[in-house]
Amino acid sequence: MGFGGISLWQLLIVLAIVILLFGTKRLKNIGGDLGEAIKGFRKSMHDDDKPSVESKQGETLDAKAEEHKRDTESKQ
């Protein structure tokens, strides 16, 4: 007996039908897309724990860009 009353032979037959219907290339693409989606989901769940840029104290990116612009202009 296999998984939940499904035998190994039945699983192999279903797998063969799926491969015949979709082809190995499309199944590979679907698997890759699914993996990327799971990776993105995990990353977004992990990023929720980190504080956002807006909640940090200190200089903003605009202030640093202005400072860099002034430095490059003074060198010219």
Side-chain angles (χ1 to χ4, degrees), residues 12-27:
L12 290 174
I13 291 170
V14 170
L15 180 64
I17 291 171
V18 168
I19 289 174
L20 287 174
L21 287 176
F22 294 109
T24 56
K25 186 175 182 180
R26 186 178 290 171
L27 287 178

Side-chain angles (χ1 to χ4, degrees), residues 50-65:
K50 296 179 182 177
S52 66
V53 173
E54 293 146 1
S55 66
K56 291 183 180 177
Q57 297 286 335
E59 293 183 337
T60 62
L61 293 176
D62 292 333
K64 288 191 179 242

Side-chain angles (χ1 to χ4, degrees), residues 4-59:
I6 299 174
S7 71
L8 181 62
W9 289 109
Q10 291 170 336
L11 288 174
L12 290 174
I13 291 170
V14 170
L15 180 64
I17 291 171
V18 168
I19 289 174
L20 287 174
L21 287 176
F22 294 109
T24 56
K25 186 175 182 180
R26 186 178 290 171
L27 287 178
K28 182 179 176 183
N29 290 339
I30 291 172
D33 291 343
L34 182 63
E36 288 294 320
I38 291 171
K39 245 188 242 183
F41 178 75
R42 286 183 180 169
K43 183 179 179 193
S44 67
M45 292 298 290
H46 182 66
D47 288 346
D48 286 344
D49 297 338
K50 296 179 182 177
S52 66
V53 173
E54 293 146 1
S55 66
K56 291 183 180 177
Q57 297 286 335
E59 293 183 337

